[in-house]
């Protein structure tokens, strides 16, 4: 008997509660009319939304290279060895390189 009462109370509570699965209250088209919601995240001011979009594009260009695909590879031109360092051609970090150090001869190192 106790189980039946608990089941009935649970069903009544679940049946009376409204379903709130939509974000913002407008579904897909709720973002254009200024009512908030939709994919724009509830921006009321069009200029504020455009400025945020420009800022995101700027950040993407700065960190990601401005196009699709992997970000730009960093390059270095300083060859560091155990006995000194010298300038070398552009290469990725930790690539092999070598320097002719006076008094020590040719030494191998890595690009920094």
């Amino acid at each position: 008997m106790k189980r039946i009462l608990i089941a009935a109370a649970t069903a009544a509570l679940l049946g009376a509660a409204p379903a709130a699965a939509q974000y913002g209250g407008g579904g897909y088209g709720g973002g254009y009319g200024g009512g908030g919601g939709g994919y724009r995240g509830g921006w009321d001011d069009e200029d504020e939304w455009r400025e945020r979009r420009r800022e995101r594009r700027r950040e993407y260009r700065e960190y990601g290279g401005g196009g699709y695909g992997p970000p730009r590879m960093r390059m270095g031109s300083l060859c560091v060895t155990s006995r000194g360092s010298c300038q070398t051609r552009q290469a990725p970090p930790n690539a092999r390189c070598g320097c002719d150090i006076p008094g020590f001869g040719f030494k191998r190192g890595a690009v920094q």
Side-chain angles (χ1 to χ4, degrees):
M1 184 70 171
K2 194 175 189 181
R3 288 183 187 174
I4 295 171
L5 288 175
I6 291 174
T10 305
L13 287 175
L14 290 177
Q22 297 294 330
Y23 174 75
Y28 290 111
Y32 287 107
Y39 77 96
R40 281 184 14 189
W43 296 105
D44 290 332
D45 187 15
E46 191 73 23
D47 294 332
E48 183 181 357
W49 179 74
R50 286 176 199 246
E51 183 59 36
R52 279 290 208 132
R53 194 166 147 200
R54 282 190 204 109
E55 184 179 330
R56 275 187 264 131
R57 284 183 184 166
R58 226 174 302 150
E59 288 175 2
Y60 179 75
R61 271 190 236 115
E62 184 177 332
Y63 294 110
Y68 295 100
R72 293 181 191 160
M73 182 181 290
R74 294 184 180 174
M75 303 293 270
S77 62
L78 183 68
C79 182
V80 178
T81 68
S82 62
R83 296 293 182 177
S85 59
C86 64
Q87 289 291 323
T88 185
R89 61 181 170 75
Q90 289 280 325
N94 295 328
R96 290 191 219 167
C97 62
C99 293
D100 188 20
I101 307 293
F104 295 104
F106 187 78
K107 296 292 181 184
R108 296 186 186 274
V111 173
Q112 296 293 317

